[in-house]
Structures are given as structure tokens and as C-alpha cells.
Amino acid sequence: MKNKILIAALLFSVLLSGCGSSADSSPAAVDNVDTWEDASEYEETELESSEGDLEYENADPEDTDDALLDEMQETEPPTTYELENICTGISDAGNGYKAEYTISTTNWIRASDPETLQNIWESIGGKEDLPDISNFHELSNDGFTNENAAVAFGTISFRNVTDGFDFTESNPRAFLCTLDAWDIYHHGHYVEGYIEYSSNHKYLNLWNVTMESLVSAKMSRNSWGPVPFMLVCSNVFTPDNPDGDESLNDYKIHCGYPAQDDLIIKLDSGD
């Protein structure tokens, strides 16, 4: 009898032990753990992608403004100079035909930066490359250099002011305008020039009034120009006048045909 009771107790204990091991190794428990881990990895991936998409929207406004400012500065056009010195007058072609000319120039600018000079030249309509400053010694033998010379850029135009008569292909008229800088030459500076017509160009000599100081306009319409030109003045910047000879502010260039109108070109202050 005692042996039967002992065997029954042992069997009951084995049954209890088997049930506990079966619960710990349940496939359902393992599946739950795997599913949680996969979901966590998916959420982290989605979060990283979202942060990347919102990177521009969350950017610092100041950083964005700086980037836009840098882009604007890279594309900003070069500095230009105003055509603020103006002379107008009447040119007479004879027989009552008259045209009004207008000359507009910048101030005298130091010639030390050829790239800046070329940019200004193009801004007033120049098409060809600007001649080197050293080219302007051929007439005066004065040795113009980028270090000592000053340059002024300008345009000249004509318009018909003749009452009752148009300028046409069948009735063209030629007009002249003298540029006379003898007043400046008398005070120690040579002035020469360069004008770019539609089909050719011409060097000008303003310190010795000859045909080389004349600008000509053949008008087959009631307006002509504006045509770009440049003037070069020698020895403006020297050891005696490192900031430029300010007496140029008082010297006149006589214009017209005959030359009876005055153009005063100021020395650029650099402001």
C-alpha cells in the first residue's frame, strides 16, 4: 500500500514539472517578442526619413537669409558711374539745317583698373574691347599710363531741330561737333579720346584743334546715337597730386560747331 502511494506522488510531481516547462517555451511568447522588435526598427527608420524631409523647413531663417544674400552678391552687376556732366548745343549744317547735340559724361575716373574701365565702357554701349591706356601716347608722346591717367566715359547724340524738314535716306545731313580741350592742355594735361561708331572707330585729339578733334554724324533719320566715347587725361595722379589734380574741376572742354558751349568734367571723389 505504501509503495502505491509513493509511486502516485512521484507521477504527480513529474506531471507538474512538465507543465511548467511547456509554458516557458510557448511559441506565442517568442512571436510577441519578435513582432515588437521589428516594429521598433520600422519606427526608427520612419523617424530618420521624416527628419531629413523637414531639414529645410526647420533651417535657421538667418542661415537662409545669408545664403540668399551670398547668391545676390555673386550675381550683382558691376558698379557703374552716372553720366552726370552734360553739355547741349546746336550744330549748323548750313542752309538752315540744324541739329541739337547732347554730350553726357562721367566724372574723371582713375585708370588703374582696366577691368572696371571695360565694364563701364560696356554699360554705356561699347561693343569692342577698350584700347589700352598706353595707346594714347601716339598723338601727344606724353606716355599715358594706368597709374597717372584719368578716364571719362560718355555718349554723344544728335536730333533734328530743323523746322519743317525731316532727315531721310533721300535727304541726309552731316553734322559736326568739335571737342576742344585746349584749356586743360594749357594747364599741363593732354586730353585724347576714342569714339566707337557703328561701323568703325576713331581716335580723337582734343589738345590740338584739328580734324582729329571732330565728331561727325551723318543723319538719315531725325535722331542719331547715342554713340559711346571715352576721354583720357594725362598726369592727373602724380606724387604732387596723389588724389588727383582737383584743378580739373575748373577747366572747360569747348563743344559744338563752332565750339561755343562748355563741358566741365569733375574729378571723381571716390565716394
Side-chain angles (χ1 to χ4, degrees):
M1 183 67 180
K2 289 180 179 181
N3 289 337
K4 290 180 178 180
I5 294 172
L6 181 59
I7 292 170
L10 289 172
L11 290 172
F12 183 75
S13 175
V14 170
L15 289 172
L16 288 177
S17 176
C19 290
S21 299
S22 178
D24 291 341
S25 59
S26 168
V30 175
D31 290 342
N32 286 339
V33 173
D34 291 343
T35 301
W36 182 83
E37 289 177 352
D38 291 343
S40 174
E41 292 175 2
Y42 178 78
E43 289 171 1
E44 289 176 1
T45 303
E46 285 295 303
L47 181 60
E48 291 172 358
S49 177
S50 298
E51 287 176 348
D53 294 340
L54 295 175
E55 182 177 355
Y56 178 78
E57 295 180 9
N58 294 332
D60 189 335
E62 293 185 0
D63 293 340
T64 304
D65 291 343
D66 290 342
L68 291 174
L69 181 60
D70 291 342
E71 183 178 348
M72 292 172 62
Q73 289 174 340
E74 290 177 0
T75 58
E76 186 176 353
T79 302
T80 58
Y81 289 80
E82 297 293 332
L83 302 177
E84 54 189 275
N85 307 296
I86 299 174
C87 177
T88 61
I90 300 297
S91 179
D92 193 332
N95 295 319
Y97 290 102
K98 300 180 184 296
E100 180 185 64
Y101 70 85
T102 299
I103 298 173
S104 305
T105 75
T106 66
N107 289 334
W108 290 115
I109 305 163
R110 192 163 194 168
S112 56
D113 186 355
E115 183 177 355
T116 297
L117 301 184
Q118 181 66 33
N119 288 336
I120 301 172
W121 174 245
E122 293 175 2
S123 75
I124 63 170
K127 299 295 190 298
E128 300 177 2
D129 288 340
L130 205 59
D132 190 86
I133 298 300
S134 62
N135 290 1
F136 291 91
H137 72 280
E138 296 179 4
L139 298 177
S140 63
N141 295 316
D142 187 57
F144 289 83
T145 68
N146 291 85
E147 288 71 28
N148 70 38
V151 176
F153 294 93
T155 61
I156 181 169
S157 60
F158 288 80
R159 71 179 185 90
N160 183 11
V161 292
T162 307
D163 291 335
F165 289 84
D166 291 329
F167 301 153
T168 63
E169 292 289 345
S170 60
N171 184 38
R173 294 293 154 180
F175 292 88
L176 299 173
C177 182
T178 300
L179 298 177
D180 175 5
W182 192 89
D183 190 24
I184 298 177
Y185 169 68
H186 181 69
H187 290 86
H189 302 283
Y190 289 94
V191 179
E192 297 181 13
Y194 174 89
I195 186 167
E196 185 182 276
Y197 296 111
S198 59
S199 58
N200 61 0
H201 63 263
K202 176 184 178 181
Y203 283 89
L204 303 171
N205 176 356
L206 282 66
W207 54 271
N208 184 18
V209 182
T210 62
M211 291 298 294
E212 292 177 336
S213 65
L214 290 175
V215 174
S216 60
K218 183 178 180 180
M219 301 181 65
S220 57
R221 295 183 298 176
N222 286 328
S223 62
W224 181 92
V227 172
F229 68 89
M230 68 175 293
L231 301 178
V232 184
C233 185
S234 70
N235 293 320
V236 177
F237 299 91
T238 64
D240 288 339
N241 295 291
D243 296 323
D245 185 356
E246 294 183 357
S247 63
L248 285 175
N249 295 333
D250 301 319
Y251 302 155
K252 301 173 181 178
I253 296 177
H254 303 293
C255 307
Y257 193 77
Q260 56 189 7
D261 306 298
D262 294 333
L263 172 67
I264 298 179
I265 303 177
K266 300 289 186 179
L267 185 66
D268 186 63
S269 63
D271 295 336

